[in-house]
Amino acid sequence: MVVKDRRVNEITVLTVDGEINFNSSPDFRKAFLRIPDSNLKKVVVNLAGVDYVDSSGLATLVEAYQKIKGAGGELILANLSDKVKSLFEITKLEKLFRVFQSEEEALRNIG
Amino acid sequence: MINPAFEIPSDPIYITEASSRIINSLKDFNLKEDVIFDIRLSVEEAVINAIKYGNNFKKDLPILINYSITGDRLEIIVKDMGKGFDYSSLPDPTSQENILKSGGRGLFLIRNLMDEIKFNDKGNEIKMVKFLTGGKLYGSKRQKG
């Protein structure tokens, strides 16, 4: 799994490529920890390159959601595959996260 | 099919090997990607639980995996060497008080993605059943038994 981060105006965008599973979740967590507190107000996670997420990956996203919310920010998700989206529906995490079909849409709607 | 059985050490690097071994044996069934995803995730979540909670990451303790295919019924058994757990009183990870918690989603996902699951009395062995051509994915859960 590879996580790339960039800034689009005031927004931090994390683009994930690969699987977010038990073995890669620690690296995914580190990607959030690397974001300076001052850049935590608006975070978009683009999951277009992710076709597999397990419960460890979901837990890492929930952890990041809480960290960012605690800092007064918002974490939103973009580009979930149908199967990954179904995991959010099953676990009701769809109620926690705002999910958009594209990164552009997420960027327009955050904040 | 004769029941193929194998074991892996309690080391997370073997999680994918366990699921791949089962998935690879299903190639002739030309399964939909969705079904393969459900089987893979369920096996990996069961193996993670066995490594983490059952065998406490003790690499010398094995995880025993056994699977069989009868008609379109795939049955997978994952067993650890631990003392088991009370599977009858698991919290609901989707409830308001648990939704922000880190753990508790693995078994919940298995319950939702497989057609049947059952534990042995001790709670250190999980049996998961998936109907390869007509289970939950297709909107109708089959009659048990």
Side-chain angles (χ1 to χ4, degrees):
Chain A
M1 182 204 63
V2 177
V3 185
K4 289 180 181 163
D5 63 278
R6 70 184 206 279
R7 293 279 284 169
V8 179
N9 300 322
E10 301 287 297
I11 305 164
T12 299
V13 179
L14 296 185
T15 305
V16 191
D17 199 16
E19 299 186 352
I20 311 176
N21 57 32
F22 186 84
N23 288 310
S24 64
S25 285
D27 286 338
F28 190 39
R29 186 174 293 112
K30 281 179 197 161
F32 286 105
L33 294 173
R34 278 198 300 270
I35 304 172
D37 286 353
S38 57
N39 291 352
L40 283 177
K41 295 293 175 200
K42 297 174 182 179
V43 180
V44 171
V45 179
N46 185 341
L47 295 170
V50 176
D51 56 10
Y52 184 84
V53 177
D54 69 6
S55 64
S56 311
L58 296 176
T60 307
L61 279 167
V62 170
E63 208 178 283
Y65 168 89
Q66 293 194 81
K67 175 185 157 79
I68 291 165
K69 198 179 178 194
E74 187 185 18
L75 165 64
I76 66 176
L77 307 175
N79 277 321
L80 275 63
S81 72
D82 287 347
K83 205 60 198 177
V84 171
K85 197 175 177 187
S86 77
L87 300 182
F88 278 77
E89 289 164 4
I90 291 168
T91 55
K92 306 272 169 66
L93 289 175
E94 58 176 353
K95 291 181 179 172
L96 207 61
F97 293 94
R98 289 207 292 154
V99 178
F100 293 92
Q101 287 188 345
S102 70
E103 185 181 301
E104 293 71 27
E105 202 183 335
L107 291 172
R108 274 201 307 276
N109 282 281
I110 195 163
Chain B
M1 180 189 275
I2 299 166
N3 293 0
F6 61 98
E7 61 178 61
I8 58 166
S10 296
D11 185 330
I13 64 169
Y14 293 97
I15 294 169
T16 312
E17 184 181 316
S19 61
S20 298
R21 199 156 162 175
I22 296 173
I23 300 292
N24 288 340
S25 71
L26 299 171
K27 273 182 180 160
D28 291 345
F29 288 84
N30 294 317
L31 298 176
K32 290 185 176 180
E33 286 299 317
D34 282 355
V35 177
I36 294 171
F37 184 101
D38 292 352
I39 295 166
R40 178 184 170 192
L41 187 60
S42 298
V43 170
E44 294 192 5
E45 294 291 351
V47 168
I48 290 167
N49 284 345
I51 292 174
K52 202 172 166 183
Y53 304 113
N55 291 350
N56 288 316
F57 292 101
K58 290 177 186 160
K59 291 182 183 176
D60 55 324
L61 292 179
I63 308 292
L64 309 178
I65 300 163
N66 188 301
Y67 64 101
S68 62
I69 305 159
T70 310
D72 76 333
R73 179 189 164 97
L74 170 67
E75 186 176 298
I76 304 163
I77 295 172
V78 177
K79 183 177 185 177
D80 62 60
M81 301 296 112
K83 59 184 190 312
F85 75 107
D86 181 6
Y87 51 84
S88 64
S89 61
L90 289 170
D92 175 4
T94 67
S95 68
Q96 194 66 37
E97 68 263 30
N98 294 325
I99 193 82
L100 290 173
K101 289 186 179 166
S102 289
R105 292 186 189 89
L107 190 52
F108 185 80
L109 286 172
I110 297 173
R111 279 189 198 283
N112 279 276
L113 299 178
M114 299 302 264
D115 292 304
E116 296 172 20
I117 74 163
K118 193 177 177 185
F119 288 92
N120 65 350
D121 289 342
K122 190 178 169 187
N124 70 331
E125 178 185 295
I126 182 173
K127 179 161 86 177
M128 305 175 281
V129 172
K130 183 81 172 173
F131 293 104
L132 300 176
T133 56
K136 275 182 185 172
L137 181 67
Y138 304 86
S140 61
K141 196 172 178 180
R142 291 203 171 185
Q143 289 292 104
K144 289 180 184 176

